[in-house]
Amino acid sequence: MGSENKNKRKLVRECELEEDEEYETPFIQKDGVTESLPNQDMTTTSQHLFGDTEDGFSISIIENMKEEYGLFVWPCSRILAEYVWQQKARFSSAHVVELGAGTSLPGLVAAKMGAEVTLTDDSTRSEVLDNMRRVCVLNDLNCKVLGLTWGVWDAPIFSLHPNIILGADVLYDTSAFDDLFATVTFLLQKCPESVFITTYHNRSGHHLIEFLMEKWGLKCAKLLDGFSFMPSRKASSLSGNIQLAEIVLDAPN
């Protein structure tokens, strides 16, 4: 991805950051998220709660307020992580790959559920990959961390055999959609009963995604309003038109 696309993505992310109520007062306890005050490097640790005190847990995420978008926990990530928590039986013993994981909240929740998890992000983004390793240690979770660039067919992708693929806000940059869908299709074909679960901001309608699914031989098995399953105390701090889709291989007629 070129520097121009990265700058455009970062600019839009910054605009979303200003609009998101969660970040208007980012260093207090609010709606199941507690954030520490940032240090001189603008690094902070947020605590994300799932369930109640009896059967729940928290995930600690290291965020950096001055780095690129990959080191924030964005609304799509929180919504997908909540969905994983609510589908806990489905994730127990699953083989999970999170694409474009960034701060990795959904994948870490899946690992807490007993899944075998591989967290991936662009192989050129060493600072994001290093942060993923740190949050695994911080949460005492044994996840694999792998550099994986969409549309690049190097050795790492051939070692993956997931039955669940996760992706929070990966349907963002239209110029990367074909590379993303090529990667997703390749992984789904390795395990034909597998599913790609993604959350995304519905900025321009579902039509482009429908076109790409048809192009790559995929179909949407489930489409949900991202706020329909969120607890009210968590949903109240989020904004936007966020959807969750479960995408599978489209069986030939």
Side-chain angles (χ1 to χ4, degrees), residues 117-188:
V117 176
T118 301
L119 305 170
T120 74
D121 212 303
D122 193 315
S123 58
T124 66
R125 300 173 68 192
S126 59
E127 76 286 356
V128 175
L129 296 170
D130 288 343
N131 195 67
M132 290 158 64
R133 296 183 182 96
R134 285 193 290 269
V135 296
C136 288
V137 172
L138 182 62
N139 291 281
D140 194 24
L141 291 171
N142 187 25
C143 301
K144 296 178 182 177
V145 174
L146 187 66
L148 190 154
T149 302
W150 304 337
V152 176
W153 311 109
D154 51 14
I157 195 170
F158 294 96
S159 67
L160 301 175
H161 297 83
N163 57 340
I164 299 177
I165 306 163
L166 299 175
D169 214 0
V170 291
L171 293 167
Y172 178 80
D173 182 0
T174 55
S175 67
F177 278 11
D178 268 317
D179 286 338
L180 169 63
F181 273 83
T183 300
V184 168
T185 302
F186 177 81
L187 293 173
L188 291 175

Side-chain angles (χ1 to χ4, degrees), residues 189-216:
Q189 288 173 340
K190 294 179 75 175
C191 301
E193 300 302 315
S194 56
V195 60
F196 172 45
I197 307 175
T198 182
T199 48
Y200 60 96
H201 283 275
N202 190 19
R203 298 179 178 90
S204 56
H206 195 65
H207 305 296
L208 178 57
I209 296 168
E210 289 176 338
F211 168 78
L212 286 164
M213 285 191 292
E214 183 175 351
K215 176 181 178 179
W216 289 98

Side-chain angles (χ1 to χ4, degrees), residues 8-78:
K8 287 166 65 178
R9 290 181 67 179
K10 188 174 182 181
L11 177 61
V12 175
R13 292 292 197 178
E14 288 170 351
C15 292
E16 289 177 353
L17 183 62
E18 292 173 359
E19 294 173 356
D20 191 340
E21 293 179 7
E22 177 189 358
Y23 289 93
E24 289 177 3
T25 53
F27 309 120
I28 62 172
Q29 183 173 352
K30 182 179 180 182
D31 305 315
V33 179
T34 303
E35 297 191 9
S36 63
L37 290 171
N39 60 23
Q40 291 182 344
D41 295 328
M42 295 302 290
T43 298
T44 183
T45 302
S46 56
Q47 300 280 339
H48 300 261
L49 306 178
F50 298 89
D52 54 36
T53 55
E54 293 183 358
D55 67 347
F57 56 84
S58 69
I59 296 288
S60 300
I61 299 292
I62 302 169
E63 301 180 73
N64 192 301
M65 306 304 289
K66 71 176 183 179
E67 291 292 340
E68 286 192 352
Y69 45 83
L71 294 180
F72 294 110
V73 180
W74 297 101
C76 282
S77 183
R78 291 180 59 188

